[in-house]
Amino acid sequence: QLQLVESGGGLVQPGGSLRLSCAASGFTLDDYAIGWFRRAPGKEREGVSCIRSSDGISDGSTYYKDSVKGRFTISRDNAKNTVYLQMNSLKPEDTADYYCAAVSATARPMCVQTDYEYWGLGTQVTVSS
């Protein structure tokens, strides 16, 4: 019953923006760390941005892959049980399937896929002119 469903992907031109959403069900979002990962064609899945719980277990800190710093913003709306990835100034190299993932906040995960337990099925982002 624990489920993550991504949405918001699509085709955008370089310099454009997208806002990805990850709707969570079956668990309380703020009890979990949430990560956004992506897999480009022919490449391994990599961590893009992660956010820790702010419910007292963790400090709500965020992590961003160096190549997306200043362009992407991760956030959560606990009332809606949804996490977001706002992506601005998109570049062709951002093209990938994007996945959200979750793991209990008590795991204190790094932003690497091996630290995350629950996964959505992904949403495709294509940045092309």
Side-chain angles (χ1 to χ4, degrees):
Q1 292 183 339
L2 194 156
Q3 193 172 30
L4 299 168
V5 180
E6 302 96 333
S7 63
L11 173 64
V12 297
Q13 297 184 49
S17 297
L18 285 174
R19 189 190 193 192
L20 304 183
S21 298
C22 178
S25 61
F27 65 98
T28 301
L29 182 65
D30 201 37
D31 289 338
Y32 287 76
I34 306 295
W36 284 98
F37 298 81
R38 67 186 181 189
R39 178 177 287 163
K43 297 183 178 180
E44 297 297 314
R45 188 152 52 189
E46 64 180 1
V48 177
S49 182
C50 296
I51 185 168
R52 292 190 172 186
S53 169
S54 59
D55 68 356
I57 299 173
S58 302
D59 61 1
S61 61
T62 58
Y63 165 87
Y64 296 93
K65 178 179 173 64
D66 284 346
S67 63
V68 309
K69 287 181 178 178
R71 300 189 296 119
F72 291 10
T73 302
I74 190 170
S75 62
R76 66 167 80 222
D77 186 336
N78 290 326
K80 295 182 178 180
N81 233 37
T82 300
V83 297
Y84 304 96
L85 185 67
Q86 178 67 47
M87 305 187 296
N88 299 325
S89 302
L90 283 162
K91 302 176 180 180
E93 53 263 43
D94 296 318
T95 296
D97 290 332
Y98 283 72
Y99 304 83
C100 64
V103 68
S104 173
T106 61
R108 297 196 299 166
M110 301 297 290
C111 198
V112 295
Q113 67 172 341
T114 52
D115 281 6
Y116 282 76
E117 184 174 2
Y118 306 104
W119 292 82
L121 295 178
T123 185
Q124 182 176 292
V125 172
T126 302
V127 185
S128 177
S129 59

